[in-house]
Amino acid sequence: RGKRAFIAGVADDNGYGWAIAKALAAAGAEILVGTWVPALNIFETSLRRGKFDESRKLPDGSLMEIVKVYPLDAVYDSPEDVPEDVKTNKRYAGSSNWTVKEAAELVKKEYGSIDILVHSLANGPEVTKPLLETSRSGYLAAISASSYSFVSLLKHFLPIMNPGGASISLTYIASERTIPGYGGGMSSAKAALESDTKVLAFEAGRKGKIRVNTISAGPLGSRAAKAIGFIEKMIEYSYVNAPLQKELLADEVGNTAAFLVSPLASAITGSTVYVDNGLNTMGLAV
Ligand code: NAI
């Protein structure tokens, strides 16, 4: 049997989640995705109308099949946690079972188990504010959506992950070196995510023989990145200063993810793997 992957954080064909889905599909995996509830309608409609068909193309010419799209809001663990105004919000009211616990239960009911869990999501409402101007609630919201969301996903999916399976998340160098502009507690959230990668690698390794790694990716002009505001500058900076002076393709991150969740990486866990044309190794802009 081929492997089954659940990829949280796919809502269009521009981001890292989509590229990872493609790389896993090309390697023969069955693809389930978790899509943020407010983005669900437009994503499903676009998918159905063939808007993504060009970017669904796999190396062998076939089209990536997304077997099922699950609504998900990784900020909520179970229905008791959902505030009334969200519950009754019209973007949410049309969907059901989108808390992390319910999504995992639904996947279990419909597919039994998974082999691969991918976390490709982040959110920081105050990302454009410097840390010194970030509110407590903005900071905690960034950690909730971008770091604890991974703890929660792994916690709830671990019981249905087959031993030998693996998980992947996406992080950014702003966790360890100052990137002015990546604010709102997002740098803190990525630092937490990387630290948690080590602790969770230990816990999930011992508990379920599951590997946990994170990819520190270079800049990509995704929807989320454009919301931060200086992504074009970062891409240009990387192009000028990285050891490899080429555009960083989302597919390069996708391919690394496919390697890391495959048996080829069977001894790699708890690692932060850089996929950034080597930019992280530079100490001086040239
Ligand atoms: P993206 O916009 O394709 O992906 C972010 C996804 O998170 C979106 O689909 C959004 O709907 C979803 N999301 C936001 N809040 C959510 C919630 N509460 N529950 C469920 N889903 C939610 O953008 P991108 O850039 O591909 O982001 C994927 C990951 O890559 C993120 O962790 C990001 O921090 C990371 N990354 C991105 C870099 C870049 O330059 N684009 C660089 C390094 C890391």
Side-chain angles (χ1 to χ4, degrees), residues 44-56 63:
E44 283 195 305
T45 306
S46 305
L47 202 56
R48 204 171 343 104
R49 293 195 181 149
K51 203 181 148 220
F52 302 135
D53 283 0
E54 197 50 47
S55 35
R56 279 172 63 208
L63 296 190

Side-chain angles (χ1 to χ4, degrees), residues 8-12 14-17 34-37 39 72-75 119-123 145 170-172 182 186 190 193 215-225 231:
V10 180
D12 59 38
N14 292 319
Y16 283 133
T35 299
W36 195 29
V37 188
L72 178 71
D73 194 324
V75 156
H119 175 282
S120 183
L121 62 98
N123 205 0
L170 274 298
T171 187
Y172 185 48
Y182 196 74
M186 279 307 299
K190 291 306 192 188
L193 182 66
I215 292 174
S216 186
L220 173 77
S222 65
R223 189 188 170 100
I231 188 67

Side-chain angles (χ1 to χ4, degrees), residues 73-91:
D73 194 324
V75 156
Y76 305 109
D77 301 313
S78 56
E80 305 88 81
D81 303 326
V82 184
E84 207 50 43
D85 61 320
V86 175
K87 241 178 244 169
T88 54
N89 183 309
K90 69 174 191 306
R91 290 153 95 198

Side-chain angles (χ1 to χ4, degrees), residues 236-252:
E236 176 62 18
Y237 179 93
S238 175
Y239 194 93
V240 171
N241 294 294
L244 301 176
Q245 292 193 301
K246 62 174 185 62
E247 185 190 353
L248 176 69
L249 303 175
D251 288 346
E252 295 177 295

Side-chain angles (χ1 to χ4, degrees), residues 118-247:
V118 178
H119 175 282
S120 183
L121 62 98
N123 205 0
E126 297 181 19
V127 65
T128 56
K129 289 189 190 164
L131 192 52
L132 269 178
E133 282 158 37
T134 297
S135 71
R136 184 180 299 268
S137 70
Y139 183 97
L140 294 176
I143 296 270
S144 173
S146 314
S147 318
Y148 189 78
S149 56
F150 180 61
V151 178
S152 179
L153 275 166
L154 187 60
K155 169 185 170 151
H156 289 97
F157 278 88
L158 192 58
I160 64 164
M161 288 183 78
N162 296 314
S167 71
I168 280 286
S169 66
L170 274 298
T171 187
Y172 185 48
I173 186 91
S175 59
E176 40 177 331
R177 297 214 234 296
T178 307
I179 307 281
Y182 196 74
M186 279 307 299
S187 57
S188 330
K190 291 306 192 188
L193 182 66
E194 289 171 30
S195 179
D196 294 347
T197 297
K198 297 176 199 168
V199 177
L200 295 171
F202 169 70
E203 295 182 2
R206 293 296 174 89
K207 199 168 178 182
K209 296 193 167 65
I210 299 299
R211 294 181 297 106
V212 182
N213 292 294
T214 188
I215 292 174
S216 186
L220 173 77
S222 65
R223 189 188 170 100
K226 284 183 180 138
I228 303 172
F230 63 106
I231 188 67
E232 298 309 333
K233 242 175 75 189
M234 295 307 292
I235 292 171
E236 176 62 18
Y237 179 93
S238 175
Y239 194 93
V240 171
N241 294 294
L244 301 176
Q245 292 193 301
K246 62 174 185 62
E247 185 190 353

